[in-house]
Amino acid sequence: MINDKLPKIWYGGDYNPEQWDAEVWAEDDRLFKLAGIDVATINVFSWAMIQPDEETYDFSSLDETMDRLYRNGTYICLATATGAHPAWMARQYPEVTRVDVKGRKRKFGGRHNSNPNSAVYRKFSARLAGKLAERYKDHPALVAWHVSNEYGGYDYSEQSETAFREWLKVRYGTLDALNRAWNTRFWGHTFYDWEEIVVPSELSEEWNGSRTSFQGISLDYRRFMSHSLLECYRLEYDAIREHSKDVPITTNLMGFYPELDYFEWAKYMDVVSWDNYPSLDTPVSFTAMTHDLMRGLKSGQPFMLMEQTPSQQNWQAYNSLKRPGVMRLWSYQAVARGADTVLFFQLRRSVGACEKYHGAVIEHAGHEYTRVFRECAELGRELQLLGGELLDARSAAKVAILFDWENRWALNLSSGPTVALNYVDEVHKYYDALFAQHIEVDMVGALEDLTKYEIVIAPVLYMVKPGFAARAEAFVQAGGTFVTTFFSGIVDENDLVTLGGYPGRLRRLLGVWAEEIDALLPGMSNQIVMERDWKKLSGSYECGILCDLIHTEGAETLARYGSDFYRGMPALTVNRFGGGKAYYIASSPNADFLQGFFGNLCADKNIAPLVKAPQGLEAARRIKNGTPYLFLLNHTDGELAAEIGSAGMTDLLSGREVSGTAAIPAKGVMILKG
Amino acid sequence: MINDKLPKIWYGGDYNPEQWDAEVWAEDDRLFKLAGIDVATINVFSWAMIQPDEETYDFSSLDETMDRLYRNGTYICLATATGAHPAWMARQYPEVTRVDVKGRKRKFGGRHNSNPNSAVYRKFSARLAGKLAERYKDHPALVAWHVSNEYGGYDYSEQSETAFREWLKVRYGTLDALNRAWNTRFWGHTFYDWEEIVVPSELSEEWNGSRTSFQGISLDYRRFMSHSLLECYRLEYDAIREHSKDVPITTNLMGFYPELDYFEWAKYMDVVSWDNYPSLDTPVSFTAMTHDLMRGLKSGQPFMLMEQTPSQQNWQAYNSLKRPGVMRLWSYQAVARGADTVLFFQLRRSVGACEKYHGAVIEHAGHEYTRVFRECAELGRELQLLGGELLDARSAAKVAILFDWENRWALNLSSGPTVALNYVDEVHKYYDALFAQHIEVDMVGALEDLTKYEIVIAPVLYMVKPGFAARAEAFVQAGGTFVTTFFSGIVDENDLVTLGGYPGRLRRLLGVWAEEIDALLPGMSNQIVMERDWKKLSGSYECGILCDLIHTEGAETLARYGSDFYRGMPALTVNRFGGGKAYYIASSPNADFLQGFFGNLCADKNIAPLVKAPQGLEAARRIKNGTPYLFLLNHTDGELAAEIGSAGMTDLLSGREVSGTAAIPAKGVMILKG
Amino acid sequence: MINDKLPKIWYGGDYNPEQWDAEVWAEDDRLFKLAGIDVATINVFSWAMIQPDEETYDFSSLDETMDRLYRNGTYICLATATGAHPAWMARQYPEVTRVDVKGRKRKFGGRHNSNPNSAVYRKFSARLAGKLAERYKDHPALVAWHVSNEYGGYDYSEQSETAFREWLKVRYGTLDALNRAWNTRFWGHTFYDWEEIVVPSELSEEWNGSRTSFQGISLDYRRFMSHSLLECYRLEYDAIREHSKDVPITTNLMGFYPELDYFEWAKYMDVVSWDNYPSLDTPVSFTAMTHDLMRGLKSGQPFMLMEQTPSQQNWQAYNSLKRPGVMRLWSYQAVARGADTVLFFQLRRSVGACEKYHGAVIEHAGHEYTRVFRECAELGRELQLLGGELLDARSAAKVAILFDWENRWALNLSSGPTVALNYVDEVHKYYDALFAQHIEVDMVGALEDLTKYEIVIAPVLYMVKPGFAARAEAFVQAGGTFVTTFFSGIVDENDLVTLGGYPGRLRRLLGVWAEEIDALLPGMSNQIVMERDWKKLSGSYECGILCDLIHTEGAETLARYGSDFYRGMPALTVNRFGGGKAYYIASSPNADFLQGFFGNLCADKNIAPLVKAPQGLEAARRIKNGTPYLFLLNHTDGELAAEIGSAGMTDLLSGREVSGTAAIPAKGVMILKG
């Protein structure tokens, strides 16, 4: 439980009373009550208000807000307000603003605007966090700490350049080791002095966002920037913890945000929290996968849904309304996949600046007579009725999909073989094939304990980090099923190729050698042709993007390419390794193939679907003290039926007993217990 | 009349003799005569020639040109030459060059290159204007002053930053007021000192041209930049007026140019002038609308067509020739809509630099035996025959369309709800629906006196400035018909939302409440389904971009949405308000709807089309001393017929009597008097 | 012969042993032998290794490599290592890094990174070249010098600005002459002091890469930058030549690389060499044209194929494998068109940094059991068998196509009349029409001796440089056939329009006057309608992009436009001039027209195809001591037949006699002697 002060699914969201006059606050209190809101995240962007100059701290307004909310029965997730520094600080200490990747020194403006390696910023931000903790550590409303906000953005200032050199000294020890890791003999980039190293920006090694001359330095800079921002977070964390000993501390993450290695971050978070902003056309399975990833950051520990919009966003190209029922449906989707909170950005819509067209529980109309408010209030009531029953419930997936930020950076920075390969989209293909069949999946990091799973899937595991191959081998040896794909096993943690033959460190496990890798031009495709019928798989399936030209070295060939000069070469292989199997998919297959393939694998392992139901119905399960809770979510506009077996179960939301076939109405939700 | 020295439609254009040797000048004189040219705009880019260094002014060449032209019977529109500063000035006073929105200090180059808040530039430019006025105020050839050239472009220098702060002090008085207007409590941007405010560039609040974190500062910076450039203009204006007491002063505008608030500018111009550069594929009605806007800048006062090309442009992607007859046709289109001059850029094509492929009366061939010259000379003759009859004639439109630059800026800066909304294109849809039916329209600013009109249309009036709502209410109260649309009435002049329910300040007048605003994804559409047949409207019409979800509060529902979850909600309403009616169109409709809708409204108000004629034939009317002049312009490649009634009229161009049905040949023009 | 030490087609490529440990070197030696490799290009990027600081030079590693290679029978193309400066140099002397076109001072990174006008860079680079020459001039393995690498990229530093002014003083003598050449009276850009001139970057006159306000300065800056980089090359050349008197010196060019005037460069190269990187979808005829251009740089002298990939590239969007046989086929294509070497980038694939996915003879697998190695080794054997027979053989084309870099710059910088015109693509259309008919072509520069040819084609000869028109007239006078097109003869070498009527200096020769130039919008086209059947031409052909509206002045009209208002005006003319003919093609025609047209012209001149064969089969010929070698290259996936006449010929590759019809297998090659 995040905090046992409030033993239910928290409901509420971001709240910025400092943007409003006092008469509005009373109305807020009334409407929060009406909507069943019990948690407000406050103080997210109040640095300038609390600290109007270098020496002055004024907590009076915050005191008042906290007391008022408490009186009204609203608990508080208290932010440290360091998501954007005050204007006076940028003027007085220009070093707190960033230098961007184009090499431009920035002036005051925006958010995500602080130089993470500015000593001034670090000092002031940690000091503020400490003061807040000291002051409010015992406030009865306090239930969680929220450090800064949506950390992100890279900096290329001289402070970061200096810190980068220090970080490199720690990582590599000697310039020789660094020169080797970056292969600086290429293009004669050998460094003879640490001072010769400059940040990899558009002024040096990079261009077009992800193009670089040297993958080594660019990869390390991503690590370093993720680390620098994490240091800022940790400085605040420590400053809070000095005073506030047991209130959980988090910062809100952003799903598949590319710039930070969230697995590394999660180590230092008491609870993961994240902001979920799908569009009207985001696949439902993509959102599901992202929830699962957030849950996976701390190996299955429930997380906080820190932000979602009650209806509309403002920063997308086309900001559609959430259709009736969709806010509730997507809220339960979060809960189904591990969220123990349902929080919004934001409780009241702002009157000016760039987020004023972002939806809120209280819209600009200002009253409760809106569709959005009504839907929020209905959900609020429902969550009150649900109480704490679901809190801390866990998943019990036997299938894991590996996702790794360093692998993503390396793939993205790679010059060749194709620009068509998008790691996240590729991972999503595999996830979607399991999602469509109602099979539970955990999204896990490269350091996760694999022995919990029957099947581990590592799509495009381009970078194989130290120790992983041995762990994968042990997993298969012990009976596990391992799946990886084309363009895997290529490089080590420094993006240096593992010589001797692809897939390098995974070669022994997979029993194949990939001699060449063909990149297909747009419009080109090949086929995966099954050697023989294999349960759900038979005949031919389209594939593309890349085609590895592989030779088996012990593995069995299950399918071959259907065309081009490598027609007849293996396209799908399996290697028996100890008690388990290791599969290699040599090209990027279509959805039909992947559904059949994973259907077969799950059948082999007796991993059953959660439910028998058509696509469009999402199934997920949480288990607590041995009791399973089966979530059925209907994302379509018509009623759908799911076969749930003859044993009767209770729908937590309606209180009704259900057995046999459950009919879930359009946009409807069931939570079947037992 | 612009200047009674030349009581006819002026004919001529930009002329740069300084680019040529003396032997060419004699040829120019001969060819101007041959082409019927009587006005030359000179000295537009001669600053470096006249002032070769800080202290020296040399007017000898200009003296010679002016005298020569006068001897040849050519009047002069005299420019102040400040459209581009000399190279020596940029070298000696780097502050005269700009800093661009990317934060880069520019070096010498281009035009539109002067920092409008450089004291040096202001001093030198006003001094030059003054010297020119002092010297040439009594020159017999002088008929107009032309300040600088096509003002435009923004600057982000420290001089502008300082001036911006001063401008803000005047606008807001206190930082408290400014913080409130910009809602700086959002993202903790509170300013405690004026010096903390920096210009909103890519280094601070803006990106991608029109994206901003703070609409308030970005909107104000557009106002400030428009104001800064206007100050430069006014400094020159005053310097001229000190000596030259009654010669009209103008500067050439650029139609729907986005960066300057031309309604504000027009206040300080004796006569509006503008440069008209449609492409081969620009809709004819778009050009018509732009002429009407230029006429509307000074409430209907005739304007100068300062530039158009005789045939080709150079700066478009594909620079097509004007087809035979089109230059004449488009010249009369300008006259039909209020132009009292027909001027070209340029009289002789330059031999080098970036405009050498821009058309001219005298092409590179250098003689009169070209199609372009022949067409120019024929038009010159025709305009001589027309004489002064049309000068000062006015329009008598009963329908007005409101256009407002501040509204445009605010819409363009808005983050959400959709990127698909383009204010100018949206306004054009409404204009086009009236144009297609030969109904006269005035394009008016937000401060225009509405009582002159029967129907006032304000498409997407997102920003409602102080006083407007009351004036609109009074207009309808008195019997007027007011039309506005989705996403109107949302914000005040500071881009702060009018709370309590959209359309805010227009809600009472319209009798509707817009609860939500849905943005449609590309490819999506909805339908406006009529409740019952209403004259030209029946059945269903496509609509899109945004759909307001409205509730009537007194208004009558004329049509409802045809699909999506808001099917059946009102899509078109009318509110009876005093003696008039206020219509609300809740989504962006297709052309069929708008033609039917405005056809109905005009019928209600007995506003008749100028003529009964097919589309492709443009009709426009000017009235002088009670005598109407009906312009019929055939933009198609075939003959078209127009029913003009049985009363005979005289075609000014052919001298023929016309009655009943007039046949206008392909690309042909008639000006029917009486 | 490039160097008679190695009297055969050289075979090998770039080799970077400094990136590898010693145990790998032994393996390299073994594999080079196995692959028939006899030349290695080394030391391309070793500057940092050889010179670890300002004072130290350490040649020990290079000594070892050279001796080792020599012992193994591998000759050496020795690079000067100045393609990228060391990091210490950038740190110690920041002036060696460039300022980019956006005005940004760069830090250390990438390659192509040296400021060519940095005195420090010039000193250090020439000194290194001299030291290398002094040390290795008599090394028995040395067969060629390779200066720097793929020169390119422009610089906008203050050093370049100063040098540009000096270059301009030499070119123009006086500011008056410069002001005239750049037409600076336009927009009042007159310079009164050389110091007022700044480099034309995005901070001054240019934007979007090729847009400029002043063509004059932008054109000169391209000349100057090409010249600056050439000076760097020449400084190294001279430093080498001081010691190494007769070993040939080259630098590797890049085909149609836009930034350098390779005709100017070739004057200072002993032998041309270039890097050939077609994609899977590059037209075969485009590669052929590029080879021919490289051969034409030194008037037909054989060149070095310095780089090609054995299979894959890394820097394209989609890096496809070269299909089986294609590496061999394309290698012989180079030889067929004048290459006396077949060299790869690279011999061993690097383990890290941005080119690690670029193909190599020795792949990451590290052994010989790969398709790529096998194909390389087979070709190596074949080239050993071929020996020196083909060396120094020349082409005997009677048709020349003119290509000119200054014309290309001027066209590319032109503002108007269309963005659709791409000079290289346009030239390729003409080349392709001849290639498809197996007619030999030389690609020649504007200074080439035209009298060698029967037909000279100058597509879009926009800029006519001094003396060219007279030489073209003399060529036609003497019986030659000259062909040019729309938008030709427009400007002089300063991009100043030749007044009096297009095509200016070519008007007398062509007997036409182009009154106007129409630019077609995308999707628009016109037709070239033949006046009467003319051998292969009859009826109507599509044309587009630009349409010149021409009048004949002595020329005969062969075809007219089929539509638009200039329907019936001449679209194809021929002017009899002395004993020859000059053709004018007034618009950009389709491939059918061009094949027919050039078929007719060749028939007129009795220029026969090399062979009668279908398209897809490429034919080329080299002649040595009167013996012709006919290359037949089958680029298709099926067998093709060529009629080669009854006289028997020997296929050098198979040793077989061939007569009558030769059957060339898919991807196959024949070299028929006799």
Side-chain angles (χ1 to χ4, degrees), chain A residues 209-228:
Chain A
S210 66
R211 316 316 306 161
T212 181
S213 297
F214 278 80
Q215 279 66 28
I217 189 171
S218 292
L219 183 59
D220 274 341
Y221 204 71
R222 278 146 186 78
R223 289 181 174 122
F224 166 70
M225 268 295 129
S226 179
H227 169 82
S228 294

Side-chain angles (χ1 to χ4, degrees), chain A residues 48 110 312 314 356-357 364 371, chain B residues 192 415 462 495 502 515 517:
Chain A
Q312 220 165 0
N314 72 285
K356 64 182 173 295
Y357 298 121
H364 286 144
R371 177 183 72 92
Chain B
Y192 292 104
S415 175
Y462 170 70
D495 200 61
Y502 318 135
E515 179 184 339
I517 305 171

Side-chain angles (χ1 to χ4, degrees), chain B residues 401-469:
Chain B
I401 295 180
L402 192 147
F403 185 83
D404 182 65
W405 262 270
E406 295 180 276
N407 186 48
R408 179 189 196 172
W409 291 331
L411 275 171
N412 195 35
L413 291 167
S414 177
S415 175
T418 181
V419 299
L421 183 63
N422 178 304
Y423 179 50
V424 174
D425 289 349
E426 201 64 27
V427 169
H428 177 241
K429 283 187 197 170
Y430 291 77
Y431 184 92
D432 187 64
L434 293 152
F435 178 89
Q437 302 180 75
H438 311 303
I439 293 168
E440 290 176 286
V441 171
D442 279 353
M443 298 292 295
V444 302
L447 298 176
E448 189 63 64
D449 172 17
L450 306 181
T451 63
K452 294 186 288 188
Y453 301 101
E454 302 279 352
I455 301 174
V456 171
I457 307 163
V460 204
L461 193 64
Y462 170 70
M463 173 188 286
V464 176
K465 294 193 279 196
F468 181 82

